Structure formats: C-alpha cells, structure tokens
Amino acid sequence: MNVVVTLEHRFYRTPDGKVWTQTTFPHSFWKRYLKIFDGVRVVARIREVTSIAPDWKQANGEGVSFIAVPYYIGPWQYFLRSRSVKRALRDAVAANDAVILRVSSQLASCLQPYLLKKGHPYAVEVVADPYDVFAPGSIRHPLRPYFRWTSWYQLKLECAAACGAAYVTKQALQRRYPCDGHSVGISDVVLPEWSITSEARPQINTDRPVNIIFVGTMAQLYKAPNVLIDAVALCVKKGVNIKLTLVGDGQYRAELEAQATARGIEERVCFCGQLPGGEAVRAQLDLADLFILPSHQEGLPRAMVEAMARALPCIGSTVGGIPELLSAEDMVAPGDASALANKIHEVVTDPKRMLRMSARNLEIAKNYTDEILDDQRTGFYRYVREHTEAWLKKRR
C-alpha cells in the first residue's frame, strides 16, 4: 500500500525530473513513511526551475515520488487557480491509497471534503496552529481576522473527522484541535545523535558582548524578528552589551534591516540570510550565547530544539509547544517587546542562570533523538495503514 501525503512546503523541479528543497523535507525525511508503506507520493506545490543552488537537497528518489499541484503563492493566486488545484488533488489519490494530511494546510482543506464525500479515511499530522499563525502582528493582510477564524474552524473539522492524528506537541495542539479517533503526540523534530553536544556551555565572559541568535523565516512575521529587534534596542538603550544575529530570509528582511537602522542598532545586528540546514546553522549556534524565538505561533519549533541540542540557553514565547520545552521563567507573552527586553536583561546579567539553562536545555534535547521517537511514529503509521486496509476490505 502507498501513502499520499499533502503539505504546504514549496518544492522545485529541474528539467531532469529531480525535485529539490532548499531547507526541510529532503528524501531522508520521507524514509520514515517507507518503514510501513510501500511508497510515498508527496502532493505539493512544485515550481519548475532550470537550475538549483549546490547546497539544495533532493527530495524525490527511491520509494518517494511527487505530484505537483499548480504553483501559487498567497490567497489571490490560489483563488485564480483553485479549480485546477482541487482537480490535481483529487486525481492524486487512488482508491487503495492511505492518506495523511500535514495540517494546517490549504491543500488539506481542499482535499478533505472530497475524501469525506467518498468515505475515504485519512489521518492528520498536526504541525502548526493557524489560530496563532493569523494572530495580530503575525501576518499583515486585510483579511487576517477572517483567515484566522476560518482556518481555525477548518482544522477543528479536519482533526475531528480524521481516523487518527499525530500532533507535534504533547498537549497544546491536542487541546485546541481534538481528534475523535486514534491520537498520539509525536515530535516532528528528530535530532541525529551527533548533532547533540556532549556537555553544557561554560560560563560566559561578561567582558565581551553577549551574542544572541534568532533562526526563522522572514517571509512573514509570525516568528516575530521585528519584536526581537525592538527588544534588543531597548536593552542597548539600558546599557546591556549584546549583539544579535538573525539567520533567515524573506520578503520582510529589508524592512527589518531598516528597523534596526531606525533603532540605532545596525552595528549590533547581523543579517546572515538563509543558510543551508545542518552544519552551517550549527556553526552559528555554536558561536552564540543565547537563542531567542519570540514567535506569535509555533507547533514544536525545530530551531529551538536544535539550539537546545547545542546547549544554548533559550528564551521563547508562551505559544504552541514552546512551554513543553522551556520553563515558565524563560518565556514571555508574544508580541511584547518590553517584556522580552526585561527577560533578556534578566538572563544575560546572570551568568549562573545561563549555566543552569544550558544544562537543562541539553537534557531536554536528548529526548528528541530518532531512537526515542521512531517507535511511536512507526506505530502511528502502522495504525493508519491497518485502518485503511480494513476500510478497503469492507468495500469489497
């Protein structure tokens, strides 16, 4: 039995038929499904390109193929192509396929009503919370309040009707989007053993600036780099000796650079741009003293778990799965630059506290190795396959 997986990530295809990703979801990711299913067909937006950068990763390969839906970016382009998108989604699912929808997702919202109409079972992997994605300050769009309500309501329906749900959090997403069927909490973040450092950080040298790092997209502002820049500016105004490195890129980068200049901290802020995953990001994490992710929304943030694996002290916001990673004293409410500035000041002026944070975070990160998570994930996929096979047997 094959499994069809839909997701929102955008891929790229070169003339030789190879499908590529710049960051997440390379071929190695899809191997987790092949432990239970005979093949994986990934349904996603795929843009045709003539060439790719040398550090991009191939996504298709043995056992993994891709089905492209018409490429679009944003609500308006989707509206113009919605008919052909829905047709492509329907054509992607055969009667004897298992189906897993990675949600929240516009593609999932298009396909799910068709599956219900056919009585075709499906499972969901819940990786993000649209209610927080469209929170005030997170995304700039005149229809943001409408999208917030409709996407929240749609995801509730999708989870409730699914035969099974795997959530990336232990409790947060489950409470807001319960599933009437089989339900498990399994992190989508998997750390190779070699990516976890062997010991906690030494005490920082207070004679030099404390290096803060942020890793996240700038395509939208739901990771709140703008809030972080304001918080750093407030700290600098109080005489706190810090520097900020931002790893990531997107349409708001120029605006964020202008913001740093307007706040008078351009010499203290370094924009690294998009880095390939793995070693390049770890190198930047190892140069830092403190990781901050003041997001408006999260599932379980991969960037934070990877920072914890490098024994970095971390500050985050009280959204999504972050409270499952950090203690309450290391978090602030989202969107509050003043509170974040106060928290930064608390932490960087207390080297012994940073030692405790480093040791604690490293121990938490050790729970996210493939050895620990693989059995749970494989068990969920086995359930999905068996449930689909039972449904097919009844139809015959």
Side-chain angles (χ1 to χ4, degrees), residues 172-220:
L173 291 168
Q174 289 89 323
R175 284 195 295 263
R176 189 169 281 177
Y177 306 102
C179 174
D180 294 338
H182 180 65
S183 176
V184 293
I186 312 169
S187 168
D188 198 38
V189 180
V190 179
L191 298 174
E193 292 278 0
W194 47 263
S195 71
I196 303 176
T197 191
S198 59
E199 56 187 9
R201 297 289 180 104
Q203 187 164 309
I204 63 169
N205 180 0
T206 55
D207 293 333
R208 62 167 177 78
V210 176
N211 295 315
I212 295 171
I213 189 168
F214 163 95
V215 180
T217 182
M218 297 177 189
Q220 295 293 343

Side-chain angles (χ1 to χ4, degrees), residues 329-347:
E329 65 177 2
D330 298 332
M331 295 183 292
V332 296
D336 191 336
S338 179
L340 180 57
N342 290 337
K343 185 64 65 176
I344 294 170
H345 183 265
E346 277 180 30
V347 170

Side-chain angles (χ1 to χ4, degrees), residues 9-289:
H9 187 72
R10 296 194 292 268
F11 296 87
Y12 302 85
R13 183 162 52 198
T14 45
D16 58 5
K18 293 180 180 178
V19 177
W20 303 87
T21 177
Q22 187 177 3
T23 52
T24 52
F25 305 112
H27 182 262
S28 58
F29 173 87
W30 303 106
K31 288 181 179 179
R32 61 179 61 179
Y33 297 92
L34 293 174
K35 293 180 179 180
I36 297 298
F37 297 102
D38 303 317
V40 183
R41 293 205 306 280
V42 183
V43 184
R45 289 171 286 178
I46 301 178
R47 186 175 184 177
E48 305 293 339
V49 295
T50 56
S51 62
I52 49 92
D55 56 3
W56 286 21
K57 304 165 188 173
Q58 187 173 341
N60 62 344
E62 184 177 359
V64 181
S65 59
F66 278 71
I67 298 175
V69 301
Y71 194 83
Y72 65 88
I73 297 177
W76 178 244
Q77 287 188 13
Y78 166 74
F79 175 76
L80 294 176
R81 297 174 174 85
S82 60
R83 276 193 179 180
S84 53
V85 168
K86 292 176 181 178
R87 188 181 311 114
L89 287 165
R90 291 194 299 266
D91 292 344
V93 180
N96 59 346
D97 286 332
V99 179
I100 297 177
L101 310 176
R102 290 180 63 85
V103 293
S104 62
S105 161
Q106 181 60 45
L107 296 183
S109 297
C110 290
L111 180 57
Q112 188 256 2
Y114 172 77
L115 296 173
L116 283 182
K117 182 178 179 181
K118 293 291 184 179
H120 196 128
Y122 68 90
V124 291
E125 291 181 318
V126 189
V127 300
D129 187 345
Y131 189 77
D132 290 338
V133 168
F134 293 105
S138 182
I139 287 179
R140 296 175 185 172
H141 195 281
L143 296 177
R144 179 199 58 76
Y146 169 78
F147 292 145
R148 190 184 199 196
W149 187 87
T150 55
S151 58
W152 164 80
Y153 183 70
Q154 182 64 38
L155 184 53
K156 283 182 71 73
L157 295 178
E158 291 163 2
C159 291
C163 69
Y167 301 86
V168 297
T169 59
K170 296 175 183 177
Q171 298 176 353
L173 291 168
Q174 289 89 323
R175 284 195 295 263
R176 189 169 281 177
Y177 306 102
C179 174
D180 294 338
H182 180 65
S183 176
V184 293
I186 312 169
S187 168
D188 198 38
V189 180
V190 179
L191 298 174
E193 292 278 0
W194 47 263
S195 71
I196 303 176
T197 191
S198 59
E199 56 187 9
R201 297 289 180 104
Q203 187 164 309
I204 63 169
N205 180 0
T206 55
D207 293 333
R208 62 167 177 78
V210 176
N211 295 315
I212 295 171
I213 189 168
F214 163 95
V215 180
T217 182
M218 297 177 189
Q220 295 293 343
L221 295 176
Y222 57 79
K223 298 285 185 179
N226 54 331
V227 175
L228 179 54
I229 289 172
D230 279 346
V232 168
L234 289 172
C235 286
V236 171
K237 190 177 291 186
K238 293 178 182 178
V240 184
N241 192 11
I242 55 177
K243 289 187 175 181
L244 173 62
T245 297
L246 296 109
V247 178
D249 212 340
Q251 64 174 333
Y252 287 100
R253 176 174 171 176
E255 181 179 315
L256 293 167
E257 291 174 334
Q259 179 185 351
T261 300
R263 302 296 186 272
I265 59 170
E266 66 274 16
E267 292 184 0
R268 290 179 176 267
V269 180
C270 173
F271 288 83
C272 285
Q274 184 69 49
L275 297 178
E279 192 57 43
V281 174
R282 279 193 296 275
Q284 289 297 323
L285 293 173
D286 288 344
L287 292 172
D289 301 305

Side-chain angles (χ1 to χ4, degrees), residues 349-396:
T349 56
D350 189 347
K352 290 185 178 179
R353 176 177 175 176
M354 294 184 72
L355 284 178
R356 295 194 300 271
M357 293 168 69
S358 173
R360 178 193 177 277
N361 289 352
L362 180 57
E363 289 305 308
I364 294 293
K366 292 176 182 177
N367 294 319
Y368 292 90
T369 61
D370 193 52
E371 182 181 357
I372 292 175
L373 298 173
D374 185 59
D375 287 345
Q376 295 174 294
R377 193 167 48 238
T378 301
F380 176 72
Y381 296 153
R382 184 177 293 111
Y383 169 83
V384 175
R385 176 166 183 154
E386 290 173 353
H387 186 92
T388 307
E389 288 174 339
W391 173 75
L392 287 169
K393 190 175 182 180
K394 286 181 182 179
R395 294 182 68 217
R396 294 192 183 108

